[in-house]
Each structure stands twice: as C-alpha cells, then as structure tokens.
Amino acid sequence: MNSYQLAEDSKLNQPEFVFGVATSSYQIEGGVNLGGRTASIWDTFCRQPGAVDNGDNGDVACDHFHLWQQDIDMIADLGVDAYRLSIAWPRILPRDGELNPQGLNFYQQIIDACHARGVKVFVTLYHWDLPQYLQDKGGWLNRETAYKFAEYAEVVSAHFGDQIDVYTTLNEPFVAAFLGYRWGVHAPGIKGEREGFLASHHMLLGHGLAMPILRRNAPNAKHGIVFNASPSYPLTPSDQGAADYSEAEGYHWFMDPVLKGEYPFEVVERQSDNMPMILAGDLDLISAPVDYVGINYYTRHVCRYNENGDIVNVEQPSAEHTYIGWEIYPQGLTDLLVRIHQRYEDLPPMYITENGAAGNDELKNGEVVDQQRTRYFQTHLEAVDNAIRQGVDIQGYFAWSLMDNFEWAFGYCQRFGIVHVDYQTQKRTLKHSAIAYRNMLLARKQENQ
C-alpha cells in the first residue's frame, strides 16, 4: 500500500480537516543538560535500577535538540498541516521562579520554522516532564504544583501568544497521575491508591487555573486538553458492570470534571477511601470551557469480574496485536468517539491527537516495510470517518509518532515512529507507513486546489 485510501465523500478529504504528526519533548529532544535545562522527574526515574527497559534514558534520545532543523524540514516534506509537540517545563523554568531565555528561544526557532513552511503548531505544555525541583516538594501530590503549572502557562503564553495555533494544557492525565503516582511504573515511581487520585485532581486543577491565562495571552488560539481513552467491552453480558466501571475510572474520571463539572459517582463511591480533598470552587475552575478535546486512542479493553469481584482485563489471543502487545481494534475508535459524543452535552470539537502502533521495525536495504502499521493507519482513518458519519465533530488526526523515540518505561525497544531512527547515527528513514501518509496528503492537497 503506497497511499492510504479515503472514500471520495470522506470528511477527512475536506481542506479544513487537519492532518499532523506528534512528538513530545522528553521522548525526542535529548540535550538534557544543554541550553539551560535542568532535571525532570524522568531524568531521575531513568536512573532508578529496573525502572526502564535496558536502563535506557532520554539523555540523547533522537537528538532533536541539535537536529530540529532537519526534523522540521522532514515534517514539512511529509505534507502535514500541523505538528504537535510539547515544551519541556524544566527547559523554560529551570529553577523555581527563574526564566531561561535559551529555552524560549529554542522553541521560538521551531515555531518560526514550522510557520515558515506552512505548518500549524499544536503545543502541549505538560507531557509528563515535571521539573525535579517541584517533585522534591511533593510534585503533583502538592496542591501548590497546580499553581506552579499556572505560572508556567503564564510564562509560555505571554511569550508566544497567538504564535502557537493550538494550546494543550495536559497530555493524558490518566497516565501521568495513575502510572506515575498510583502504580509507580512511570516517573516519579510512587505507588498508592490515594496518591494517584490526589495527583489527578491537582493536575486537573492546574488545567483549570491555566485556561483563563492562556485565553488572555493568546486570544486567537485554541485551548484544550488531551485525554487517552480506551473503550471497554464486557467479556460476557454479566460483565457489563465491569466494562462500565473500567471506562468510568479509565477516562470519565478525567473527562467528567472538565466537561461536566463533576467526578463520576461510581468512582467516588467505589474509591471513597481514596478520594482527594476537593476544595470549594475547584470544579468550577476545572470545568472552564475548552475549545477542543484531544483523544489519544491505541486499543480497547475487554473486561470481566474475577472470583473476588475485582475487574480484570481479558487478553484476546486470537486477535492481531502490535509489537507492544496491544490488540488492534479499529472499531474501538469509532465506538469510543460515538460514546463520548453521546455522553457529553455541548461537547466541543475533537481531534485525534495520537493514534499509532509499535512495530519490531528493521531497516533493510534502506527501507522499513512496516505493513502492519500501514494497515493500522488505514483502518483507523476509516474508523474516524465512520464516527464523523455518525455525527461526531472531529477536526483533525495526528499520527503517533513522527519518529521512533524514547518510549517511556519501554525505553528504545518499542518503535512507534513512521520514521525510523538509527540511534547510533541519528539517521532518519521514512518507513513505508510515512510514505503512504505523505502520498495521501499530497493527493488530498491536489484534489483541494
């Protein structure tokens, strides 16, 4: 397949629909001690024995810190409409209250280069790399961190204003809060039920505090938040309650406060011993209107109750899986988007801000033939189109990821990129999935001229 095929009447063919690629700062930048940057919680976590596969870290990663110019050229040459990146908080505020002009200049150059090539810029303020100096004071377990995030949002948006086309406050607060502070498999590696829910509330509070600041400083930009979500399905009809609760804790817990001004009752009831302190006015702040909601989708869950009444996920061995072991289930993306559309009144437009597949990719004779990923994108683009046909307002799609990178606790063994990276030479090679993406976008632009 040398190009993704969209139906002639597909809404994805409309010129206003945004196609892009996505990355995040810690996963690609490297340069952790350069340009005035100080340590993040991921720099610290990577040095804990056994925390990351192979003892990998983001010290160099894809060396985007030095190679950003060629990377922006590569992005533009793909023909995408937009580039979704994140800003490293400790590169902007390396110490509490101290501004780093070098950090602002680094991102200024990237933003300018994107705009010079006609590429819109979607910026995430928090993609998990909390400054270590804030973690030393409790990190997201400390309510003050929400206010520190608002200060950071003030600095970034005051400098860039409307130069950033779309602002995202948080990326995947579920992962940052639950994997980082509840289950301990991500930075900062804290394990505790109560801690996970407390961190999640403080993150959402930080989002709420930042929204009016962003609107004031960038009145012509769009402002929102990105959630990861997996639809859940019951193994048997008697497991429907398990699937419902899986969705409630998996993404309603994070989306409901933003879009409904309340936490889901079933989670509050089931986790009553672990509920955070919610002060008067918190939910009013958190539920400030957003211009869009980003959805990151990779797979689904199939759930059942075990003999103890606990909810467990059930593997689907007969299904196709990616290299990371996640089931490929494109129908889940359609179902998820329709369920969200039905759940929330006055839902703002949505973007698919991440979607992709990890592969055991090898460079052979100058090529990476990633057939599974190519099929994955084809079927998931069709799934987005199907959701739009059912009335869901979706305005863009971002492939995860632009290039192979540091995949958090999996280190460098999982390759999500549509561009292959040789970590020894830093050579970039477009995989067949990237070539198909480029060809589709080229054909689409020709049709819309």
Side-chain angles (χ1 to χ4, degrees), residues 178-348:
F178 284 4
L179 273 67
Y181 289 86
R182 185 182 180 187
W183 300 315
V185 295
H186 275 196
I190 291 170
K191 295 180 182 179
E193 292 292 299
R194 186 171 296 174
E195 288 80 356
F197 286 99
L198 182 61
S200 68
H201 180 65
H202 289 160
M203 287 179 191
L204 293 176
L205 178 61
H207 157 79
L209 291 166
M211 283 300 292
I213 295 169
L214 298 175
R215 290 199 186 284
R216 183 181 71 245
N217 289 335
N220 298 311
K222 290 182 180 179
H223 307 282
I225 183 171
V226 166
F227 304 100
N228 62 298
S230 295
S232 295
Y233 302 82
L235 181 65
T236 69
S238 61
D239 295 312
Q240 184 63 54
D244 291 344
Y245 185 80
S246 174
E247 291 194 349
E249 194 176 288
Y251 64 93
H252 298 162
W253 172 260
F254 297 90
M255 294 182 73
D256 281 13
V258 174
L259 298 174
K260 297 174 72 174
E262 63 189 26
Y263 283 107
F265 172 76
E266 55 267 54
V267 181
V268 174
E269 184 179 50
R270 188 180 179 103
Q271 297 285 354
S272 58
D273 293 340
N274 300 313
M275 285 296 98
M277 180 181 290
I278 301 171
L279 301 186
D282 281 4
L283 286 164
D284 289 334
L285 287 168
I286 293 169
S287 61
V290 292
D291 299 320
Y292 75 93
V293 168
I295 297 296
N296 296 350
Y297 173 82
Y298 292 94
T299 189
R300 68 164 175 169
H301 297 310
V302 177
C303 303
R304 68 172 177 86
Y305 291 110
N306 67 11
E307 57 275 7
N308 299 319
D310 297 324
I311 297 167
V312 295
N313 292 331
V314 182
E315 297 296 326
Q316 301 297 302
S318 61
E320 184 181 6
H321 293 74
T322 64
Y323 187 61
I324 207 170
W326 298 348
E327 181 188 0
I328 298 175
Y329 193 73
Q331 180 62 40
L333 179 52
T334 303
D335 293 344
L336 172 68
L337 294 169
V338 170
R339 289 178 192 182
I340 292 171
H341 174 70
Q342 293 172 343
R343 182 176 179 86
Y344 300 104
E345 293 182 11
D346 302 317
L347 179 71

Side-chain angles (χ1 to χ4, degrees), residues 164-178:
I164 292 172
D165 299 282
V166 177
Y167 285 83
T168 295
T169 51
L170 309 174
N171 178 76
E172 300 187 353
F174 170 94
V175 175
F178 284 4

Side-chain angles (χ1 to χ4, degrees), residues 10 28 92 148 266 323 360 409 432:
S10 170
I28 68 167
I92 303 301
K148 293 296 182 182
E266 55 267 54
Y323 187 61
N360 186 19
H432 279 208

Side-chain angles (χ1 to χ4, degrees), residues 4 12 16-22 80-84 122 295 297 333 337 350-357 373-385 388 394-400 418 437 440-441 444:
Y4 302 117
L12 279 62
E16 62 271 17
F17 191 89
V18 174
F19 278 101
V21 287
V80 297
D81 305 302
Y83 173 40
R84 177 176 177 252
F122 284 52
I295 297 296
Y297 173 82
L333 179 52
L337 294 169
M350 288 190 281
Y351 291 96
I352 308 304
T353 35
E354 290 182 24
N355 182 232
R373 181 179 295 105
T374 303
R375 293 195 308 272
Y376 184 100
F377 283 128
Q378 176 68 47
T379 55
H380 285 76
L381 288 168
E382 291 168 357
V384 174
D385 189 46
I388 295 173
I394 304 162
Q395 297 190 354
Y397 177 94
F398 290 77
W400 183 270
I418 61 173
Y437 201 46
M440 177 193 74
L441 296 175
R444 178 173 168 267

Side-chain angles (χ1 to χ4, degrees), residues 72 75-76 79-83 111 113-121 165:
I72 300 304
I75 290 167
V80 297
D81 305 302
Y83 173 40
I111 291 167
C114 285
H115 285 158
R117 301 294 298 269
V119 176
K120 293 181 179 178
V121 178
D165 299 282

